[in-house]
Amino acid sequence: MTRLFPHIVSVRGGRHSARVYATSIVLAILMPALVLAAYLAIESAHTARAHIEQSARDETLEATAAIEREVIAAQNLLAALASSPLLRDGDIEGFYRQADGISKKVGIQIVLHDMQLEQLFNTAVPFGTPGNAVKRPQIVEAFNRVAQTGKPVVSNVFFSPLYKQYTVGVMIPIFRDDRLAFAMVAGLPATRFRDILNSLHLHPDQTVSIIDRDGVFVARSLKHDAYVGTHTQQPFPSVAQDPRGAVNRDGMPFHAFGDTSALLSCRISTSVPDRVLDAPMYQALATLAIGGGALLLVALALIHVLERRIVQSVGTLGIDREPTIEEFAILFDSAPNGVMVVDDRGRIVMLNARLEEKFGYSQRELIGQPVEMLVPERFRGSHLALREGFARVPQSRPMGADRDLHGRRKDGSEFPVEIGLNPIRSGSENLVMVTVVDISARKLAAEQLSAARVERENLQRRFIQAQEHERLRLAHELHDQTGQNIAAAMLEIKSLEGVTDEAVRPRFRRLGRLLELIGRTLHQVAWELRPASIDELGLSIALANYVAEWGEQCGIAADFHCDQSQIAGLSDEICTVIYRVVQEALTNIVKHARGATSVSVVIERVNAQVRLTIEDNGCGFDMGAASGPGSLRNGGLGIAGMRERLTLIGAELEIESSPGSGTAIFARIPTEAVRAVA
């Protein structure tokens, strides 16, 4: 035993050896605390930086949504103007007066072009004023795209000499007899986009920029006038939320978090100075340095105290003698895991009783045998090469990281293990101490837990599917059988009304009206349970009808925006989940959003993700203070149901609100359903 471990030698008393022992004891106590503190400080700094980056990404998405809403409003205004009977009848002057009145109310410039891109009128000047002979390249490019696609487009930024400011043109085509007859443009001042960005309550260290297709600044939340109309010095990322480092014109390094708007064909990015991103790490390092210095002073004081105590009681502690072979054998055999020592030729030279118990061999059968006899036969060839590689560069480490390891018992059975390797030097020999941990129970528990999670998820999915089937059955039952019975009863009442006395007929009529009200109520309930249009006409039309009817019933202006082509091909499960989330969100608005006068529901598809946004301008609530039972923060039954449905298809749900600012619900749904792990 002592031949294998000659490093276990006598430690004689004396101040020098006592100081070594005192230092070792103090370091053993304080070093883990210092390492843990360093790890926590660095992790905290990484978390703080990730929070700052996520905040910048969220601000980019919020700015994109706000700018797109402004452009959509301009497109809707132009579309409404394009339907004017004056324009249809060719009364251009009358149509000018109508457009001029609207232009003054909303504060934008409206221009009508013919197919040669000649101005028929411009609300910035009186009717009949000759058009500007200089055609802006940005407007020409936008007109060509309108002529090619037949769809509304947004131009690059250009300088308007009439308004003496930079402007973005929102252009829509106007068709007559299926041909393009006119193009109408709404000139949105760049300052309008600046004001939208400044209304987002950005962090003082964040700057949001809008850049058109030519790399020209359209608007900027800070120093707008200095940047608008100028080209960017550094390329911004074209992929959403891909941060990239750059240096701005003031010489300040920063990272930009960009998003591309398909509607505007421009890029929107939020930039954060590098000093802000690096501040958490610098603060963590400074705190660690101060704490480490204080800990060093404490360690020196402890070493001094322990040194005196050890010198006084060295004989009592017994560290002035060699441990006996029996004492070492007790320690070696009492280890909770299997332990063996292997020489540089791969031969087993020592093992404890726990290893004998795990593998079923006696110590006599293993001593002197190659360690490969404990390895399954299919792995022995590769294990030999790995062992030789470890012998060339020995270091303490776990064996087979990221691989499943198995041990082979004497009876040929196998079991999963974790193995640790620790090289040791014994005289002229190079040995390796191997610890073997049987993880069969852990593997079994992990498999059972995984199976339970999958089973619970399947039960949840089947429950929701059964719920939808029951809704469909009840809807058909109410609409077909019960509705027909009520209709038959109404016909019977009408027939009885004709053969009864005049005095009794008003009662029959009242009864008929009550049955008619019951019929309408049952029809509404059946429609709420499962509208036929979601199966027959598609999700977009079903939601458009539902939102419109809900707004009419509740007296709230409700807008719905969705391009059917963007959500084409979604699975029935995803369509049902989106419909139910919108339905539950609108129900919550009626219950909780006091004072709400407008609601917006937007569905858009970005890459491989469908984004659902539901916003209201109601009373809102404090996300930090909302902690009561059934609150939105804790997730009442409605929010819990939405979150559960979305989780089962791999989607995410976020809620943002503040008192007096309304509430916004965001759902990000993958285009292909993903089985989520509960």
Side-chain angles (χ1 to χ4, degrees):
M1 189 75 71
T2 54
R3 182 184 67 82
L4 292 172
F5 299 98
H7 59 285
I8 304 177
V9 295
S10 172
V11 182
R12 301 299 172 185
R15 181 163 297 276
H16 178 72
S17 60
R19 183 176 295 117
V20 172
Y21 270 84
T23 303
S24 301
I25 294 172
V26 171
L27 290 179
I29 296 174
L30 297 183
M31 283 303 295
L34 184 60
V35 172
L36 178 61
Y39 172 79
L40 293 177
I42 293 174
E43 284 299 311
S44 176
H46 288 324
T47 302
R49 177 175 179 129
H51 178 74
I52 296 172
E53 293 179 351
Q54 186 59 45
S55 174
R57 293 187 178 96
D58 293 341
E59 292 296 346
T60 300
L61 295 176
E62 185 178 357
T64 301
I67 296 301
E68 288 183 348
R69 285 196 296 271
E70 181 69 13
V71 172
I72 290 173
Q75 291 178 349
N76 292 339
L77 174 64
L78 294 178
L81 270 175
S83 63
S84 171
L86 296 173
L87 180 61
R88 186 171 58 250
D89 297 338
D91 185 1
I92 302 300
E93 184 174 359
F95 181 65
Y96 163 81
R97 289 192 296 270
Q98 183 182 20
D100 184 58
I102 294 176
S103 173
K104 289 182 171 59
K105 288 181 180 179
V106 299
I108 62 175
Q109 175 186 359
I110 300 176
V111 182
L112 183 66
H113 292 278
D114 60 14
M115 289 306 299
Q116 285 71 42
L117 202 58
E118 298 295 332
Q119 288 187 8
L120 300 180
F121 67 76
N122 188 330
T123 58
V125 296
F127 183 79
T129 302
N132 189 355
V134 179
K135 294 183 175 67
R136 301 291 166 188
Q138 296 84 353
I139 294 298
V140 174
E141 188 265 347
F143 178 81
N144 291 334
R145 286 199 291 143
V146 165
Q148 291 174 0
T149 65
K151 296 180 180 179
V153 300
V154 180
S155 75
N156 290 333
V157 67
F158 62 92
F159 185 81
S160 173
L162 294 174
Y163 277 84
K164 295 182 174 56
Q165 62 180 337
Y166 285 94
T167 305
V168 172
V170 178
M171 180 179 294
I172 69 166
I174 301 176
F175 294 89
R176 292 290 180 266
D177 297 329
D178 294 331
R179 65 179 183 83
L180 184 63
F182 305 97
M184 189 156 48
V185 182
L188 300 180
T191 54
R192 198 163 185 145
F193 297 109
R194 176 202 63 193
D195 295 339
I196 292 175
L197 297 180
N198 290 333
S199 68
L200 298 178
H201 306 293
L202 301 172
H203 192 275
D205 292 316
Q206 294 177 345
T207 303
V208 182
S209 303
I210 306 174
I211 303 165
D212 67 15
R213 294 179 298 277
D214 291 340
V216 178
F217 282 98
V218 178
R220 202 169 184 266
S221 59
L222 293 177
K223 297 184 179 181
H224 168 83
D225 294 334
Y227 280 79
V228 64
T230 64
H231 284 268
T232 58
Q233 293 182 338
Q234 299 287 344
F236 281 81
S238 60
V239 179
Q241 304 191 15
D242 178 21
R244 182 172 301 176
V247 179
N248 64 15
R249 297 178 184 177
D250 299 329
M252 179 184 297
F254 69 96
H255 274 69
F257 303 82
D259 190 19
T260 300
S261 171
L263 178 64
L264 278 69
S265 297
C266 69
R267 290 171 291 168
I268 301 175
S269 68
T270 300
S271 59
V272 181
D274 285 359
R275 60 175 177 78
V276 176
L277 295 173
D278 297 334
M281 183 60 71
Y282 293 147
Q283 183 178 0
L285 294 177
T287 303
L288 190 61
I290 295 173
L295 199 61
L296 178 61
L297 295 177
V298 173
L300 292 175
L302 287 175
I303 289 172
H304 178 71
V305 172
L306 286 175
E307 179 184 353
R308 295 181 59 185
R309 294 289 183 90
I310 291 174
V311 170
Q312 293 174 358
S313 57
V314 64
T316 303
L317 292 175
I319 60 174
D320 57 342
R321 64 177 178 83
E322 293 183 2
T324 66
I325 295 177
E326 290 76 11
E327 290 173 337
F328 178 79
I330 292 173
L331 292 174
F332 189 72
D333 281 334
S334 63
N337 301 312
V339 182
M340 62 180 170
V341 177
V342 181
D343 63 15
D344 53 4
R345 294 175 297 171
R347 304 283 178 174
I348 301 173
V349 297
M350 284 184 63
L351 66 147
N352 65 355
R354 187 58 57 88
L355 191 126
E356 294 181 77
E357 175 187 338
K358 291 295 180 184
F359 285 90
Y361 289 98
S362 66
Q363 190 176 73
R364 182 179 303 172
E365 292 175 302
L366 289 178
I367 295 295
Q369 298 298 322
V371 71
E372 279 77 20
M373 71 179 299
L374 303 180
V375 177
E377 293 182 2
R378 62 184 182 279
F379 298 132
R380 290 178 181 177
S382 59
H383 180 269
L384 180 62
L386 293 173
R387 180 167 58 78
E388 292 174 352
F390 177 82
R392 288 191 293 271
V393 186
Q395 56 180 341
S396 297
R397 63 173 176 82
M399 176 179 171
D402 300 325
R403 291 189 290 118
D404 291 333
L405 301 179
H406 292 80
R408 183 183 183 276
R409 298 187 180 94
K410 182 178 180 179
D411 60 6
S413 61
E414 299 180 6
F415 62 101
V417 295
E418 282 184 355
I419 297 177
L421 304 177
N422 184 34
I424 54 179
R425 180 77 177 176
S426 178
S428 60
E429 292 185 277
N430 293 320
L431 305 175
V432 179
M433 180 176 288
V434 182
T435 59
V436 181
V437 181
D438 184 355
I439 60 172
S440 299
R442 189 196 311 170
K443 282 276 190 180
L444 179 60
E447 292 172 358
Q448 292 174 343
L449 178 60
S450 177
R453 287 175 172 173
V454 172
E455 182 178 359
R456 185 182 69 174
E457 178 191 343
N458 289 334
L459 287 175
Q460 288 176 331
R461 297 172 75 93
R462 289 199 296 270
F463 173 76
I464 291 178
Q465 290 172 357
Q467 189 180 53
E468 290 296 329
H469 292 158
E470 183 63 15
R471 286 173 179 263
L472 181 60
R473 187 191 67 80
L474 289 175
H476 288 166
E477 183 75 16
L478 291 175
H479 182 272
D480 297 338
Q481 184 172 343
T482 308
Q484 291 176 5
N485 291 338
I486 291 176
M490 292 177 63
L491 292 176
E492 185 67 21
I493 288 173
K494 287 184 179 180
S495 65
L496 290 174
E497 181 183 349
V499 298
T500 56
D501 295 337
E502 186 66 29
V504 183
R505 290 179 182 177
R507 299 179 65 183
F508 276 101
R509 284 193 288 271
R510 285 196 299 274
L511 182 58
R513 287 194 294 271
L514 287 175
L515 284 175
E516 184 179 357
L517 177 60
I518 293 172
R520 287 199 301 269
T521 303
L522 288 178
H523 175 75
Q524 178 65 24
V525 171
W527 183 74
E528 288 279 353
L529 286 172
R530 181 72 177 186
S533 55
I534 194 174
D535 299 318
E536 299 170 359
L537 302 179
L539 176 63
S540 178
I541 296 177
L543 280 178
N545 294 337
Y546 179 80
V547 172
E549 185 164 338
W550 176 88
E552 183 178 351
Q553 290 179 354
C554 300
I556 299 176
D559 293 330
F560 176 74
H561 303 284
C562 177
D563 187 347
Q564 176 64 34
S565 62
Q566 287 192 338
I567 61 174
L570 295 181
S571 66
D572 293 341
E573 184 179 18
I574 293 180
C575 290
T576 300
V577 169
I578 293 175
Y579 185 88
R580 292 303 181 197
V581 169
V582 173
Q583 191 177 44
E584 187 60 45
L586 296 182
T587 301
N588 281 345
I589 290 173
V590 174
K591 291 180 180 179
H592 305 292
R594 296 188 305 276
T597 59
S598 67
V599 172
S600 173
V601 179
V602 179
I603 301 177
E604 57 183 348
R605 189 167 186 169
V606 179
N607 297 331
Q609 190 180 78
V610 174
R611 296 179 181 175
L612 169 62
T613 305
I614 305 170
E615 296 180 283
D616 67 74
N617 64 345
C619 59
F621 63 94
D622 187 351
M623 294 288 291
S627 57
S631 66
L632 289 177
R633 181 183 178 95
N634 284 337
L637 293 178
I639 297 299
M642 287 192 287
R643 196 180 302 279
E644 181 178 353
R645 287 178 179 272
L646 290 169
T647 300
L648 288 177
I649 61 172
E652 299 175 352
L653 178 68
E654 294 182 11
I655 301 174
E656 295 182 1
S657 184
S658 59
S661 298
T663 302
I665 296 177
F666 305 95
R668 297 178 177 87
I669 306 164
T671 53
E672 294 184 0
V674 177
R675 293 182 63 85
V677 177

